[in-house]
Amino acid sequence: MDSPLTRQNRPSSFQPKIDSLYEQLFRVVRVITSARDHFLTASQHEDEEPEFDDGFWREFFLLRPDKASLQRRLENISVDDLLHTQGATQQLFQQAVARINSGNGVSDESALDTLTVFLDIVLAKRYTNPSSEIITILAGLDDVDTIFSDFANAIDNVIRSGGSGKFTVLPKVRLGLDFLAVEIRRKAIGVAIALIAGAYQTSLVSYFTHRDLFPCLMKYIQDVEDQFRVFEPFLLLGLLANYNKFEFRNPYRLRLEDFVNETALQKITLGFGAVCSRSRDNYVAIHEDIEEGWTLSNTLKYIGLGVLAPSRSSTPTRNAPNTEESRNLFSALPKQDASILLPMYDFTNANKLFSHTFISIPSPTPKSETPFSAYLSLTSYILHHAYRSPRSTLYGHLNLISLRILVEDQSLCTRIFSPDLSQNVRLCRQRPPFLPTTPSPRPLAAVIFDMTIDAITHNLRRRLSVPLYIAALDILHRLLSYLITTRTRFPYHWPLLWQTLLSLLRFLTTYSEALTPDPDLPALIDTFLAVLLLAVGSGDIFLPETEAYDDLFYKIVENGHLLSRFKSAFAHLSGFTGAPPATLNPHTVASPTALIDILVSISNHFTALLEEEKGKGTIFGEKTSLSPKEVSKVIRRGCETLRMPEAEGLERWIRWREVDEKGFLKRVGRGVCEDARRCQVMPRRKDAFPMINWVYDLWLWTFSILVDLFFREVHPRGSWKIPRRGPIIFVAAPHANQFVDPLILMRVIKTEAQRRIAWLIAEKSMKRRFIGGAASLLGPVSVGRALDSTKPGAGKIYLPDPIGDPLLIRGNGTNFEKQAEVGGLLVLPTVNGLAANAEVAEVHGPEEIRMKKEFKGAVALAQLTGQNTAEDGEVTNGSVRKVREGFEGSSYKTAPKVDQTEVYNAVFERLNAGGCIGIFPEGGSHDRTELLPLKAGVAIMALGSLAANPESDLKIIPCGMNYFHAHKFRSRAVVEFGSPIEVPRELVDLYKSGERREATRQLLETIYQALVAVTVTSPDYDTLMLIQAARRLYNPTGKKLPLPMIVELNRRLVQGYTHYKDDPRMLNLKKSVNDYNKQLWLLGVRDHQVEYAKFSIPKVVFTLIYRLGKLSLMALGTLPGLVLFAPVFIATKLISIRKSREALAASTVKLAGRDVIATWKLLVAMGFAPLLYVFYTFLLTSWTYRSRVQGYMPDWVPLWLVVILSFIFFPAITFTALRFGETGMDILKSLRPLVLSLNPTSANTLVKLRQKRSELSIEVTDLINTLGPEMFPDFDSARIIADPFNNGGPRTPRTPRTPSSHITRPRTPTSSDRTTDATISGGGSSRSAGGNNLPRNESFHDLGNIGLFASRPQTPRSHSRSRSGSMGGGGGGGGGALQGFSTITSKEGLEE
């Protein structure tokens, strides 16, 4: 035997402890190769099943269960294997029951979680003899009574009190323990549902009928506060009450009948209503069916003036489900939570107090719907789509039966017709013909009429669900009978009911041959004729006006021929010509033939009268048509002479009896068991920070004011690419502004696409007092980052063998056993803004650990080996062979392992619900000019969501955050959206097959390339300055380009420079441009101000005097606000600088910490400015109180008015100073070149500089025109700026030359290839060669649009700088073709 001190070989893979225990327990699974799995049944083992000791089970239930691993292992075991390994499964079940009975909080929770998965998977398998085989697997035939009695007893105890009373020990912490107890009790209910739903066809459920769970379930319902928590116990009660209820007297049915606790009944109805609302919202999420109210925009669009509509986004909804997609989505509804409709039926059928409570209970909040309204609304949506799937038909029929039971109660029917309970109920209007809209509240009976009419209208199919129609007609018959019996005149749109009934008559007549084989057809005909005759014979009793009665008779006359065809089509049916059989629950003693004869005779009577009236108005031998008034007069006269044969008993009916629908209710029970089993596998997770829409919108509106104040312009581009529905992951980069980036993106997406984003926010940020509190209102997902929790490590670390074993790290004076952990990080010191880190794989001792990956890079190796140089002058992996002598090691930090399971679960839930997730995949904010490596989390989220729900149609939208001096006040930004990324199905399959690393890598590369296409990145700051200078020189006319064009031109120039940066011509041009920039800096002028050198002396003098005068006026307007707001300016400057230094010290990627400057400027101003205004208001109010402002304030002005005016006056002064000061600064910057132009020496310098600029412009343009076609084959046809030195027609393309020193690579598709990208053509009014039109600017309103406060001259309307939206196509609001920017001749505009 080896000594325990002997070093063991490192295992090839690391397996969680609980997973290894699962492997020991289910020895039937044995992995043969990594390529494929082969399962060896236990029957092939010669050894007997092992007996696991108490230590094994103690450890097994102390560890947190890995539900996914357990589920995967159980699914891969066949029924035969389970029977052969019955020893292991029996021990598992018995030990779990024992742990639940033990009352150990950790063990029983793990046992409940384990049993939920275990029972769900095991009981879902197909067995030859379910009862005996399931008993064999779980307990064995000999011990089944004892084990399952203990099991039922344990579940009862846990549901009742949380188990063994262990939560009553510490009363001071009762609140937290009560929450834990409720969670334990809920899990116990989940285990009971898993067993009962899975073993519903076996005798095991009888153990729960002998052990009465009703009291503990009711106690749980009264203890919980969350309405949705009622779902599980109510569902369990329904399953138990329906178990074999036709074979024996079910004790739970007796419990339902005798239950009179009104408090519990109210909580049940409120919880049931909440579940109904949530289930109904699943339909609404697919297709919103609420009609939009009147708006000015709708009116203008209706009359053809939509271009004048004030709507911000006129883009039609994109990516809406098409017909096929909608059909599939609706067919999957209702979801599994509709299983709660079964216990609702049981309570309605058994307990009259519940029925009264259900109908009468008010809404829980003033703006919410009542439980009964939610139930009617859900029923309407289910019946509207009942024909789409057997499940919809099943639940729709069940709800109609429940409604029939309610309306058959005379007292309940009185309340249903009562105006006192009038409510607004949302009914389904997702397919025509639509129900009429009624904005005012209506009696519930009117809603039920609408719902049954809609059910009849939208389910007329050849494969007609006859029982469904019988139930709907039964409800109509009960309601009409009540009106006739009580002689109540009820206002309703009755012609719609007559039209629906006669449409059903037409359908039955047309498809009589296809419907005849249905055994329930005679009952349908009997009920239909009874309803129609009831309306015809007694309509004068319940109809409020005679017009509706006249309309009924006229429709009978119109369909007289159908009545005859109907009689002949069904004359051969059994019971049609004689008395109806007793099994049909007859409404009348008359036969269907007698009823149809009555209708035919009525039709003939009125037809003869109408023909007679037509004959009186004969003109030239032809009969004239009768007017509506004449028809009405004839019908009224005919009613007086009508002798309708008697049909007694039409208003009588037989009450609902369960025994008549035994087969249907058994089918419902089986369907509900399947749904219950599916919805109980994983418990519902409650969001830590739920998103509330109105709070989100209010927060966004409030903080968006800061965007308008801080930024001069924010310009969205490509927002039409955002899908208007469905799950989306927004990936944004670069993350240049810590908390400003999400705010800008939220506003743009809400304004342009009406979508709300749940951001992934660092847990470190959520712990900040103000930021965390504000962010929690937006429904974020908190993410813990390991690098946010780094701690300095003791001692030094070094790399002993860089070549032989680069994963081994040793330390001097370290204590890895306490400071490091497997899965944690080891972080090296920051050098040049970067800190290398690697994950810990093993901890061998206090001074030795092994990493999962080696440290890479010259800097990291130098830190760990002490080797600063190598033979080639650079430290590389191959050149460093040993540690430098005398090297003690490097300092380091450790970071703990962060479990992101809860984060991913929260993200998956948001995406499955069709929501939007926002993430900055770089992992944190920074101020670099290039993108940081993307974290794998975004790819795992997308692949994991699609693996769980492949039909979710998840899209990934890349968002480019392009700033111009992001940290400066009144800067500008462009937010560009790329085309949606659809994750290939192959990657999802690869992810599901276990190749997660490869699938994640491929998707991450796709996302990175998409982000590169919508951002401007450069290797360093100097390169970015070079590119911007080259862009200005490439546009020598000096015309102002729109922000999207500037971003796109910068992006293309960066691509070209990166590709040709080593070309000698590029190097020479770089040197010339840098020299030009240096001369500009020495003179203190800007590039666009060089043009002042061509001004004449008089013009310079006049311009200087004019601007000095204007600047003086601006200074007068700015000075008061500047003085008043100076404390805020000073505080924001100082605090933002201090915070940037703190962020820089704590970061491993920041260069100067500029990414937090803008954030802290906004935060400080937002907190300090209101306090300053309050202080000034207090001073002014005190001054007014003491001396009436030295007598300048009139005595009639009260102090409260002074306070109100102060809160208006001081912000107005500040805002005026802001706008005047901004324009004044632009003017001040333009004075220096004007002053220099007055000095002959300096003017000579400016003239030379202007000449140099012209030469550089020609050189830049020529180089771009030379290298452009080599990199972009369609360079001339898709160029952004026309060649300014080609005054003729279309420029003759240069022949691309391919020098031997350059290899032309294939062109990479970029965002400029898209047909929606704007181009600036070279022709006068011609469009670009590619046919591209300039997309309209999508930016939201800017305060600078106000002429008085505009910081730059407004662009004339004739120019192509529309600010309406970013839809491609025809261009601006006028609808005319946009002209190329090269035709702009205006010289208005200041610096960029």
Side-chain angles (χ1 to χ4, degrees), residues 1042-1110:
L1043 286 182
M1045 298 301 98
I1046 294 175
V1047 172
E1048 182 63 25
L1049 186 55
N1050 282 344
R1051 184 181 300 123
R1052 297 192 188 183
L1053 291 176
V1054 168
Q1055 292 178 0
Y1057 174 79
T1058 304
H1059 186 57
Y1060 294 105
K1061 62 181 179 180
D1062 296 327
D1063 190 297
R1065 294 165 295 178
M1066 185 67 74
L1067 295 175
N1068 293 333
L1069 180 62
K1070 177 180 179 181
K1071 182 177 182 302
S1072 300
V1073 172
N1074 288 336
D1075 291 341
Y1076 172 73
N1077 281 337
K1078 186 175 181 180
Q1079 292 184 33
L1080 290 176
W1081 179 77
L1082 292 174
L1083 287 176
V1085 297
R1086 304 201 175 190
D1087 178 70
H1088 73 279
Q1089 296 172 340
V1090 176
E1091 294 298 319
Y1092 293 169
K1094 65 181 180 181
F1095 291 175
S1096 62
I1097 295 297
K1099 184 175 182 180
V1100 170
V1101 173
F1102 174 78
T1103 303
L1104 182 60
I1105 295 174
Y1106 170 75
R1107 293 189 177 181
L1108 284 173
K1110 190 175 181 180

Side-chain angles (χ1 to χ4, degrees), residues 1123-1183:
V1123 173
L1124 290 175
F1125 213 62
V1128 176
F1129 289 138
I1130 297 173
T1132 56
K1133 184 73 173 178
L1134 296 178
I1135 295 178
S1136 62
I1137 292 176
R1138 181 167 61 87
K1139 290 295 183 180
S1140 69
R1141 291 173 180 171
E1142 292 177 1
L1144 181 63
S1147 175
T1148 62
V1149 296
K1150 302 182 193 298
L1151 294 177
R1154 292 178 177 177
D1155 55 304
V1156 301
I1157 290 180
T1159 295
W1160 282 103
K1161 283 182 178 179
L1162 288 176
L1163 292 177
V1164 173
M1166 186 172 55
F1168 192 20
L1171 295 177
L1172 194 64
Y1173 292 144
V1174 170
F1175 177 69
Y1176 289 151
T1177 301
F1178 173 76
L1179 291 181
L1180 182 58
T1181 306
S1182 301
W1183 194 10

Side-chain angles (χ1 to χ4, degrees), residues 966-981:
H967 63 286
K968 290 187 177 180
F969 190 59
R970 303 303 294 166
S971 57
R972 297 177 297 155
V974 174
V975 181
E976 182 168 352
F977 299 94
S979 298
I981 301 174

Side-chain angles (χ1 to χ4, degrees), residues 593-646:
T593 302
L595 297 179
I596 197 66
D597 286 339
I598 294 175
L599 293 173
V600 172
S601 65
I602 294 173
S603 175
N604 294 335
H605 173 74
F606 286 102
T607 300
L609 292 177
L610 291 172
E611 290 295 330
E612 180 183 351
E613 188 68 21
K614 283 184 181 181
K616 294 179 181 180
T618 303
I619 300 178
F620 301 111
E622 295 184 1
K623 297 181 179 179
T624 60
S625 300
L626 301 178
S627 66
K629 289 185 178 180
E630 293 172 334
V631 171
S632 178
K633 188 181 298 184
V634 171
I635 290 177
R636 290 178 184 177
R637 188 175 69 246
C639 290
E640 297 174 358
T641 60
L642 178 64
R643 295 294 181 265
M644 188 170 62
E646 294 184 0

Side-chain angles (χ1 to χ4, degrees), residues 977-1016:
F977 299 94
S979 298
I981 301 174
E982 296 187 6
V983 182
R985 182 60 62 90
E986 295 77 14
L987 287 185
V988 179
D989 295 338
L990 190 66
Y991 182 86
K992 294 168 66 176
S993 66
E995 298 292 333
R996 298 190 173 187
R997 185 179 297 276
E998 177 61 21
T1000 302
R1001 185 194 64 78
Q1002 294 186 28
L1003 181 57
L1004 210 59
E1005 178 64 23
T1006 302
I1007 296 173
Y1008 181 82
Q1009 296 301 328
L1011 286 173
V1012 169
V1014 294
T1015 56
V1016 178

Side-chain angles (χ1 to χ4, degrees), residues 1190-1298:
Q1190 304 300 322
Y1192 288 101
M1193 184 73 70
D1195 294 336
W1196 55 267
V1197 177
L1199 292 179
W1200 62 266
L1201 185 59
V1202 173
V1203 174
I1204 295 176
L1205 293 177
S1206 298
F1207 277 108
I1208 299 175
F1209 175 74
F1210 289 121
I1213 288 293
T1214 306
F1215 181 70
T1216 303
L1218 170 68
R1219 304 304 297 182
F1220 284 166
E1222 179 183 347
T1223 304
M1225 287 301 297
D1226 290 336
I1227 297 175
L1228 181 63
K1229 294 175 184 177
S1230 68
L1231 295 181
R1232 178 175 174 81
L1234 291 174
V1235 174
L1236 291 176
S1237 298
L1238 295 176
N1239 187 341
T1241 304
S1242 62
N1244 186 36
T1245 305
L1246 281 178
V1247 169
K1248 290 182 179 180
L1249 195 60
R1250 179 172 173 268
Q1251 294 175 351
K1252 184 173 182 178
R1253 187 186 191 282
S1254 300
E1255 296 172 358
L1256 272 177
S1257 180
I1258 296 174
E1259 185 178 354
V1260 168
T1261 304
D1262 184 66
L1263 185 60
I1264 291 176
N1265 291 339
T1266 301
L1267 300 180
E1270 296 182 10
M1271 186 170 181
F1272 302 102
D1274 58 346
F1275 175 79
D1276 289 304
S1277 62
R1279 62 190 305 139
I1280 294 180
I1281 297 181
D1283 188 351
F1285 306 105
N1286 181 24
N1287 298 323
R1291 177 178 177 274
T1292 304
R1294 298 169 181 248
T1295 303
R1297 59 189 184 90
T1298 54

Side-chain angles (χ1 to χ4, degrees), residues 458-610:
H458 288 97
N459 293 282
L460 294 176
R461 299 292 188 274
R462 289 194 177 210
R463 299 181 62 181
L464 187 72
S465 176
V466 175
L468 180 76
Y469 274 77
I470 294 175
L473 292 171
D474 278 335
I475 293 175
L476 290 176
H477 183 267
R478 291 350 178 233
L479 294 176
L480 294 179
S481 298
Y482 173 84
L483 292 175
I484 295 170
T485 304
T486 59
R487 308 190 70 84
T488 303
R489 295 190 180 274
F490 187 69
Y492 182 69
H493 32 263
W494 294 105
L496 181 61
L497 177 58
W498 317 145
Q499 179 182 346
T500 302
L501 292 175
L502 293 172
S503 297
L504 179 58
L505 173 69
R506 186 178 300 108
F507 177 83
L508 294 175
T509 305
T510 304
Y511 297 102
S512 58
E513 294 183 1
L515 297 174
T516 298
D518 196 305
D520 295 323
L521 185 62
L524 172 62
I525 295 174
D526 177 48
T527 308
F528 167 72
L529 293 175
V531 172
L532 193 56
L533 260 297
L534 201 61
V536 171
S538 305
D540 57 332
I541 298 177
F542 62 85
L543 294 176
E545 63 276 337
T546 58
E547 288 78 3
Y549 204 31
D550 297 342
D551 184 70
L552 173 60
F553 282 111
Y554 186 72
K555 283 184 167 57
I556 295 293
V557 173
E558 279 187 322
N559 294 275
H561 63 289
L562 275 179
L563 293 172
S564 301
R565 288 176 52 196
F566 179 84
K567 178 180 178 181
S568 60
F570 297 105
H572 61 282
L573 287 182
S574 173
F576 195 81
T577 55
T583 56
L584 298 182
N585 296 331
H587 303 286
T588 175
V589 295
S591 66
T593 302
L595 297 179
I596 197 66
D597 286 339
I598 294 175
L599 293 173
V600 172
S601 65
I602 294 173
S603 175
N604 294 335
H605 173 74
F606 286 102
T607 300
L609 292 177
L610 291 172

